[in-house]
Amino acid sequence: MNNYRTYIFDLDGTLLDTLADLAASVNAALMLYGMPQRTTEEVRGFVGNGVRLLMERAVPHGAQNPSFADALAAFQSHYLAHSLDNTRPYEGIPEVLSQLRRRGKRVAVVSNKFCKATQELCHHFFPDTVEVAIGEHEAEGIRKKPAPDTVIEALAQLGVGKEGAVYVGDSDVDVLTARNAGLPCISVLWGFRDKNFLKENGATTFAVAPSDLLLF
């Protein structure tokens, strides 16, 4: 049995497979403004740094495109309406979270997804296991990942310190976030990035299946 007492999880690619719904909303926004469609694999490479950067990568010429702000707003509106169409927890994740809570562990989610969507998804899929869910809300002065702000905020809302806490995510952004927050990091291999990419970006500890998270 592991010695960690607090688990801070990334959301997309770690707890939830959100890729199909993200891609659908990207393409709905692009289509609305006559922009070329993106493949699901392209969108996989675009995610991880928040919705603005996702759309900067998806929209031709990014933020310089005259229709960028409108396309970003269209994405957000479409995604809030369709974020549950295909999104599901990865197999085994609900059971792992339940087991962690039964063992008395504290559980929070920090995401670069905008705050309302983060909280709605966690409330829908993990109402009894995720205690705190924090999304992107830089307007309030809390910087998005890889800055440590959302992790620090999650620990504060849980009422715990860094000691005994671990960060769990699927991307290079998550590796950096953990490092910046001063936490150990477990990188999961069922998400949006592969092991070689993660190792190249500093990952050292890996979970191949969700049940592995109960062993650290």
Side-chain angles (χ1 to χ4, degrees):
M1 187 176 292
N2 62 64
N3 294 313
Y4 294 125
R5 298 193 296 274
T6 304
Y7 289 75
I8 310 293
F9 287 95
D10 170 54
L11 186 61
D12 296 50
T14 301
L15 299 181
L16 295 178
D17 185 355
T18 56
L19 188 57
D21 288 333
L22 287 169
S25 292
V26 165
N27 283 325
L30 295 175
M31 184 181 298
L32 196 59
Y33 293 96
M35 300 172 186
Q37 300 286 280
R38 295 292 193 168
T39 67
T40 300
E41 283 309 300
E42 284 180 308
V43 174
R44 180 192 295 272
F46 296 161
V47 300
N49 296 92
V51 295
R52 183 179 176 86
L53 271 174
L54 164 61
M55 290 305 290
E56 283 185 14
R57 292 161 177 163
V59 168
H61 309 297
Q64 304 305 312
N65 191 304
S67 297
F68 174 75
D70 290 333
L72 174 59
F75 166 84
Q76 291 177 308
S77 176
H78 187 277
Y79 188 71
L80 280 174
H82 295 277
S83 63
L84 296 174
D85 287 2
N86 300 286
T87 289
R88 297 291 183 273
Y90 288 100
E91 186 175 354
I93 283 293
E95 293 79 8
V96 166
L97 294 181
S98 294
Q99 183 64 25
L100 289 174
R101 295 293 289 129
R102 280 196 295 271
R103 293 179 180 181
K105 311 299 185 180
R106 309 301 302 276
V107 174
V109 163
V110 296
S111 175
N112 278 344
K113 184 189 295 293
F114 49 111
C115 208
K116 185 176 181 182
T118 299
Q119 292 175 342
E120 287 184 357
L121 286 167
C122 287
H123 179 73
H124 180 81
F125 287 110
F126 313 117
D128 302 318
T129 49
V130 172
E131 301 172 81
V132 170
I134 297 175
E136 186 277 312
H137 52 302
E138 290 193 300
E140 298 175 31
I142 297 176
R143 296 170 297 170
K144 67 177 184 292
K145 302 183 296 183
D149 300 30
T150 49
V151 174
I152 293 168
E153 177 68 15
L155 292 171
Q157 289 191 26
L158 287 173
V160 300
K162 292 182 183 180
E163 186 178 351
V166 64
Y167 186 90
V168 184
D170 72 306
S171 75
D172 50 322
V173 174
D174 295 315
V175 174
L176 272 175
T177 300
R179 185 180 304 157
N180 291 337
L183 297 182
C185 184
I186 300 171
S187 296
V188 307
L189 299 183
W190 54 83
F192 297 163
R193 302 288 185 268
D194 63 33
K195 187 174 185 177
N196 287 338
F197 177 86
L198 290 168
K199 288 178 74 173
E200 288 168 4
N201 284 276
T204 57
T205 304
F206 301 95
V208 177
S211 57
D212 292 345
L213 296 171
L214 299 172
L215 305 176
F216 288 101

